[in-house]
Amino acid sequence: MKLYDSLRRKACRFEPIDPPRVTVYGCGPTVYDFAHIGNFRTFLVYDLLHRRLRQRGLDVQFVVNFTDVDDKTIEGAAAAGRLLDDHTAPFVDAFHKDAGTLGFLPFSDHPRATDFIPAMVAFVERLVASGNAYLAADGSVYYDVSSFGGYGRLSGKGGDDTAGRSRIDADEYEKGDARDFALWKARQPRDELAGAVWDSPWGPGRPGWHLECSVMVGELLGDTIDIHLGGEDLLFPHHENEIAQSEVATGQPFVRFWLHVKHLKVDDRKMSKSLGNFHTLRELLDEGYDPAAIRWVLLSAHYRAELNFTKEGLDEATAAIQRLLDFRQRVTDFAAAADTETGLAARAGEQLGAFGEALDSDLNVPRALAALWGLVRDVNAALDRAPGGIGPDDRTSILSALSAMDDVLGVLDLAAEAREVGAEEEDRIRKLVEARERARGERDFATADRLRDQLAAEGVVLEDTPAGTRWKRVHAAPASAR
């Protein structure tokens, strides 16, 4: 398996430090608001890697944090007149629900930064004692970037500053010059309002944003971890600062592989509320879009390539998933012929191998999807030529290959679950289908067409066959598209 390491700037063979154990940390959401689809593009790459590592038989310890104390969360809590935990808790709950809706595998741990304040204080004490951090006049503690010779090796933005070092207090995600950064921030009035103040040797205050991930990594996974992930906006200064403080504090290399996910665009433009193209998962679900289609679109491009998200793309994804569901059902239902030799079992194995090789080549999803569609194409062509049936080994091999592919993609079972109907609903649909059949038998085509249209509006598609009418549940188009 090869992964592109942002530090070495090339794809390198991945082997865990202590196989079969793999330690992975992904920077999680800052819970001041609902996560948007750009966030979920990154988090779905986490899920993709998680699934593939597990599929390879590795014991994956995958930690994704919640940033529940920083400038944004405190500002939000203070503005709303709530304590910090009261303000962030609903967004933590919403993330868990949204992740479930999109079919995430549960991560090993979801730590909240506020649960690690004592460990953060102890971490800063070590940096002060070693001379890598200093106390400022306002009671804040800053990391001295000049004390770490390797600063800038991840991002290419070095630690020397001919214009003079500047301390930047804001916990922002994009800064041109991070230089000396806050490890511990002296309390401010808004911190008091939000209840975001803790005791420390330097006086009351709260942790700086960059500090939090380093401490949670060390406490939960160890001094050196196998993989660290995040969006490309975190590469500098956040991840650069993590390296600087962690490697000084522990004396060990911090991370062996850094993976960064490229930005998401919406309709070929940067996502922005002012442009009206800012989407949360909840908004898309309220519009009637299929969670499996959203997952499909957000995973469809290579994680290091820019992804353009469109609603037309969602419609295409919905159709693609339905095609795969129909394919799975066709193979399941196809007649068995014990003496038939089709070669499909071998072909299924070849396409599954190509699928795995693509994922092991730096999570190349487009190539993996090409192998998936190659399986569909080859099998459908063979079924068209084999009206007498296929062998039971063929069926088992095809369905097993498809299942193994979906173990990583995570769309088919998610889509099938959304299309399931309960017993009462199934009985109601069956009665409508039977009523349509009677209308057709009585040549009352107006009634038959009305019933067919009614069912279609509910996402129920009818197939008239010589053996009678069959029906299946598909995902109904969003109301805005009908």
Side-chain angles (χ1 to χ4, degrees):
M1 186 178 196
K2 287 189 174 183
L3 296 172
Y4 185 91
D5 176 27
S6 298
L7 182 61
R8 286 172 282 185
R9 295 168 176 77
K10 63 180 181 179
C12 303
R13 182 177 178 181
F14 173 71
E15 292 181 352
I17 301 169
D18 184 25
R21 180 174 180 258
V22 181
T23 50
V24 188
Y25 184 89
C27 286
T30 300
V31 284
Y32 69 100
D33 202 347
F34 296 111
H36 55 68
I37 57 170
N39 302 137
F40 275 111
R41 191 224 173 162
T42 297
F43 303 144
L44 278 166
V45 171
Y46 295 5
D47 186 59
L48 179 76
L49 177 64
H50 190 192
R51 287 168 174 266
R52 181 56 183 166
L53 290 172
R54 284 183 46 163
Q55 190 176 62
R56 289 175 58 88
L58 295 166
D59 176 18
V60 187
Q61 292 184 262
F62 206 130
V63 173
V64 177
N65 77 294
F66 289 113
T67 297
D68 62 345
V69 54
D70 77 327
D71 284 352
K72 292 182 178 180
T73 53
I74 291 170
E75 286 172 3
R82 291 192 291 265
L83 294 177
L84 185 65
D85 185 62
D86 293 334
H87 182 66
T88 60
F91 301 123
V92 171
D93 293 341
F95 176 85
H96 284 302
K97 183 176 180 180
D98 290 348
T101 298
L102 287 174
F104 280 67
L105 289 182
F107 292 111
S108 307
D109 204 343
H110 269 302
R112 300 189 194 194
T114 51
D115 291 334
F116 291 81
I117 301 297
M120 292 176 192
V121 171
F123 190 96
V124 176
E125 286 184 295
R126 291 159 67 186
L127 295 177
V128 171
S130 66
N132 298 95
Y134 59 91
L135 179 64
D138 67 352
S140 298
V141 179
Y142 290 91
Y143 185 91
D144 181 2
V145 167
S146 68
S147 70
F148 181 65
Y151 192 82
R153 68 177 186 261
L154 176 67
S155 63
K157 299 181 181 181
D160 59 319
D161 181 11
T162 56
R165 291 201 312 275
S166 61
R167 295 196 309 264
I168 296 180
D169 292 331
D171 292 334
E172 293 300 326
Y173 291 76
E174 296 180 53
K175 299 196 287 279
D177 184 356
R179 304 306 174 185
D180 291 8
F181 55 90
L183 296 166
W184 186 263
K185 295 190 171 189
R187 67 178 169 189
Q188 301 294 323
R190 66 177 186 179
D191 301 337
E192 295 275 14
L193 287 173
V197 176
W198 293 267
D199 290 332
S200 81
W202 318 284
R206 51 96 171 179
W209 169 50
H210 304 299
L211 169 70
E212 297 171 8
C213 286
S214 283
V215 172
M216 286 184 279
V217 168
E219 290 291 308
L220 296 172
L221 295 174
D223 292 344
T224 302
I225 63 171
D226 289 305
I227 303 172
H228 195 315
L229 302 98
E232 65 174 346
D233 54 324
L234 300 183
L235 193 150
F236 183 86
H238 184 53
H239 290 162
E240 197 74 74
N241 292 349
E242 281 190 62
I243 293 173
Q245 62 202 8
S246 296
E247 296 195 354
V248 163
T250 67
Q252 300 295 323
F254 180 42
V255 173
R256 297 178 62 248
F257 281 78
W258 288 94
L259 274 65
H260 290 95
V261 183
K262 194 78 172 174
H263 283 149
L264 175 80
K265 282 191 172 182
V266 176
D267 297 321
D268 289 314
R269 297 183 295 177
K270 182 178 179 180
M271 186 167 60
S272 167
K273 289 183 178 180
S274 63
L275 294 174
N277 64 352
F278 185 93
H279 302 302
T280 66
L281 174 64
R282 288 157 182 256
E283 290 168 349
L284 293 172
L285 296 175
D286 288 344
E287 291 178 32
Y289 287 101
D290 183 0
I294 299 170
R295 181 182 174 94
W296 178 282
V297 169
L298 293 177
L299 282 176
S300 60
H302 193 284
Y303 76 93
R304 288 191 293 112
E306 206 165 61
L307 171 63
N308 184 38
F309 184 94
T310 67
K311 291 186 176 178
E312 290 78 12
L314 282 178
D315 294 336
E316 292 169 2
T318 301
I321 291 168
Q322 189 60 53
R323 182 183 168 197
L324 289 172
L325 290 172
D326 291 345
F327 169 75
R328 183 166 70 176
Q329 193 62 51
R330 184 188 187 195
V331 174
T332 301
D333 293 343
F334 209 78
D339 297 330
T340 300
E341 291 291 338
T342 63
L344 286 177
R347 189 58 181 148
E350 291 170 4
Q351 294 290 20
L352 179 59
F355 180 90
E357 289 173 5
L359 291 176
D360 288 345
S361 180
D362 195 32
L363 302 178
N364 194 322
V365 172
R367 272 180 49 197
L369 291 179
L372 168 62
W373 289 119
L375 174 67
V376 174
R377 180 192 63 243
D378 293 347
V379 171
N380 273 333
L383 297 185
D384 290 343
R385 297 192 302 268
I390 59 175
D393 289 344
D394 290 331
R395 177 187 288 115
T396 299
S397 297
I398 295 164
L399 294 176
S400 294
L402 186 62
S403 177
M405 292 177 179
D406 194 53
D407 282 345
V408 180
L409 296 175
V411 292
L412 290 185
D413 289 343
L414 183 66
E417 181 180 345
R419 290 157 175 76
E420 288 179 355
V421 297
E424 291 185 7
E425 178 70 359
E426 183 175 357
D427 185 60
R428 185 185 69 84
I429 292 171
R430 180 179 55 77
K431 289 178 179 177
L432 288 173
V433 172
E434 291 173 350
R436 175 180 173 271
E437 285 293 277
R438 288 195 298 271
R440 291 179 70 204
E442 296 167 0
R443 304 187 66 78
D444 182 359
F445 298 116
T447 298
D449 290 346
R450 177 179 58 78
L451 290 169
R452 186 184 189 108
D453 291 344
Q454 176 184 338
L455 288 164
E458 297 176 10
V460 177
V461 174
L462 305 183
E463 297 176 350
D464 294 322
T465 73
T469 300
R470 300 171 57 180
W471 64 271
K472 64 182 178 182
R473 190 70 175 264
V474 300
H475 188 82
S480 58
R482 290 203 293 265

